[in-house]
Amino acid sequence: MSRRRAVPDRGGLRRVGALALASAIASGLLMAAPDVVAPVRATAAEECGVGVMARLPGPPSAFAAMGWSPQGTADTGATAPTGAGVTVAVIDSGVDVSRPQLAEAFAPGSTSLISDGERPDGLGDPQGHGTALAGVIAARPADTSGAVGLAPDARIVSLRIFRGTDEESERAGFGPDAERLAQAIRSATDLGAQVIVVALSDDVDTPALRDATANAAASGSLVVASGGNRSTTENTEDSPRFPAAYPGALSVTAVDANGLPTSDSIHGEHIEVAAPGQDVLTTSTGGGDCRYAPDAPSSSFATAYAAGAAALLAEEYPDEGPEGWAYRLMATAARSNPDARDDQVGWGVIRPTAALDLRPDSTTRGPTSPFADTSDAAFSSSSTRVAPEPAEPGNAAFITAIAVVAAGLVSLFGLGAILRRRPRNDSASR
């Protein structure tokens, strides 16, 4: 990664990247397609193809992983918020407006900050990354799709800042760029977006990017940013990533299908929360439903889920602002030690329902509260750390099983040794 480029943390979009050229060719035809398309079945290899209107079973598995029910809680009977009235800016590769689940989701202001021959309004996406993120956040329920967003009534603004990460795109000046990203954050702030999604990261602290993030926070916009993926950076060390590490931004990492951190993500002191990032059901550019990141989690999708949760909070608590929304997500995240964060998952895996239900006061445990003095609430100030080299995806259950078996064998051998040492009673009755 060059020192002036932000990199999209797209680990699970290999299929879309391979279809970028075909999508660009097909986009003109797809734009004229009707909004309602008869659902068809597709194989796993076909489901993400351009022009394949596959319908995959929903809802997304991430909902259960976060304990989220769109119907609200059964105990109160309250209807869950949907992100209505909230604008979410997606700063990425564009968003495909031809997707039926997204066609009615756009607020005014979408634009492309690059001139590469695509639509100047930012509503084309030959790369596919931005369309997948927008679906995670705000896909409308549809009979033709199993994909649905966490905040399905939120409004989307697409600010297109890159075409792709291939050599040709970068050589033409259409790759991800930190200065262009900073410009887009400022544009999103000026448009009044309450939530700004940045599923990109850079290991270089760029003054323009720092200033744009600070301006967003001061203006009432929460920048929700990826904490980084190892597969999309040359610097694979656990170190701060930007804009995620800036004050005022909410830094998000991904957990796998078991809710565990993995070595696929960049970790460190900048991580604040985690969210599901594997086997993500969402919209694909030029096609229907797709399951992304089937093998390893991607921080891009985790960032989108955190942004969707922030949109729910912005609807429910509009006056609390970005600091309040970020606090709710951190304070209510699922973690082993309620009083401490760690460098793997920050304050834990987000729980949108708990964040919405929180009534913060002096007894609320976790991060420093903007609502009340919680200094007496903590029972432990120690930082919880996990192994610096977390298990590879899919190995956690196996390692746990081995440990349990080993402990059982040790106990069995110990019992045998005790029995062998006991004196035999030859006079025992027979």
Side-chain angles (χ1 to χ4, degrees):
M1 180 179 66
S2 64
R3 291 184 58 81
R4 304 298 292 178
R5 296 192 182 279
V7 177
D9 294 317
R10 68 192 186 288
L13 282 171
R14 295 188 302 274
R15 298 167 180 166
V16 170
L19 295 167
L21 179 59
S23 174
I25 295 173
S27 59
L29 296 175
L30 291 170
M31 287 299 298
D35 286 345
V36 179
V37 182
V40 299
R41 277 296 189 186
T43 66
E46 296 173 336
E47 66 189 33
C48 300
V50 173
V52 177
M53 298 299 156
R55 185 194 190 284
L56 302 180
S61 60
F63 285 11
M66 296 183 293
W68 173 247
S69 172
Q71 286 73 41
T73 57
D75 55 342
T76 64
T79 301
T82 59
V86 177
T87 300
V88 179
V90 177
I91 300 177
D92 212 89
S93 61
V95 179
D96 183 0
V97 71
S98 73
R99 298 306 84 231
Q101 308 97 307
L102 296 172
E104 303 300 323
F106 295 94
S110 294
T111 189
S112 179
L113 278 66
I114 59 173
S115 299
D116 62 340
E118 292 294 324
R119 299 176 54 138
D121 59 5
L123 300 183
D125 181 21
Q127 207 274 348
H129 194 242
T131 301
L133 301 180
V136 166
I137 298 164
R140 273 51 174 161
D143 292 339
T144 57
S145 173
V148 62
L150 185 60
D153 285 329
R155 304 294 301 278
I156 295 292
V157 169
S158 171
L159 297 174
R160 185 169 179 260
I161 65 166
F162 73 93
R163 179 179 182 83
T165 57
D166 56 283
E167 291 184 8
E168 182 179 351
S169 294
E170 299 215 3
R171 190 164 49 245
F174 301 142
D177 178 81
E179 299 288 337
R180 194 181 298 128
L181 172 57
Q183 180 185 351
I185 291 176
R186 287 191 174 276
S187 295
T189 303
D190 292 343
L191 288 168
Q194 292 98 322
V195 181
I196 302 174
V197 186
V198 182
L200 306 97
S201 65
D202 197 344
D203 62 345
V204 178
D205 180 356
T206 307
L209 192 54
R210 174 184 286 271
D211 292 345
T213 305
N215 176 65
S219 302
S221 301
L222 176 61
V223 175
V224 183
S226 166
N229 285 329
R230 288 188 213 284
S231 63
T232 56
T233 179
E234 294 177 5
N235 177 8
T236 58
E237 298 296 320
D238 286 338
S239 59
R241 305 293 151 137
F242 305 99
Y246 291 137
L250 180 68
S251 177
V252 187
T253 192
V255 290
D256 66 14
N258 296 314
L260 300 173
T262 75
S263 58
D264 297 289
S265 299
I266 297 294
H267 301 116
E269 295 181 355
H270 66 294
I271 299 299
E272 291 176 304
V273 293
Q278 187 172 357
D279 189 29
V280 175
L281 173 61
T282 185
T283 49
S284 65
T285 192
D289 298 348
C290 181
R291 292 189 186 276
Y292 293 111
D295 303 318
S298 168
S299 292
S300 285
F301 303 119
T303 302
Y305 275 120
L312 301 177
L313 293 168
E315 176 192 352
E316 192 78 356
Y317 304 102
D319 296 333
E320 291 185 358
E323 186 179 13
W325 307 329
Y327 171 76
R328 285 178 173 275
L329 290 173
M330 290 187 288
T332 58
R335 54 188 178 274
S336 58
N337 184 344
D339 300 312
R341 64 165 296 284
D342 65 56
D343 288 351
Q344 303 296 305
V345 295
W347 289 102
V349 179
I350 61 170
R351 298 184 296 169
T353 299
L356 287 163
D357 291 344
L358 178 65
R359 298 295 179 263
D361 58 26
S362 60
T363 66
T364 305
R365 299 164 68 177
T368 301
S369 173
F371 301 107
D373 180 5
T374 58
S375 57
D376 293 333
F379 298 107
S380 170
S381 60
S382 61
S383 178
T384 302
R385 306 279 176 170
V386 298
E389 292 296 333
E392 293 294 331
N395 288 346
F398 175 75
I399 292 172
T400 301
I402 290 295
V404 171
V405 171
L409 289 174
V410 169
S411 299
L412 181 62
F413 290 142
L415 179 60
I418 293 172
L419 292 175
R420 285 195 297 273
R421 289 196 300 268
R422 291 179 59 185
R424 300 180 62 181
N425 187 355
D426 294 333
S427 62
S429 59
R430 297 184 184 273

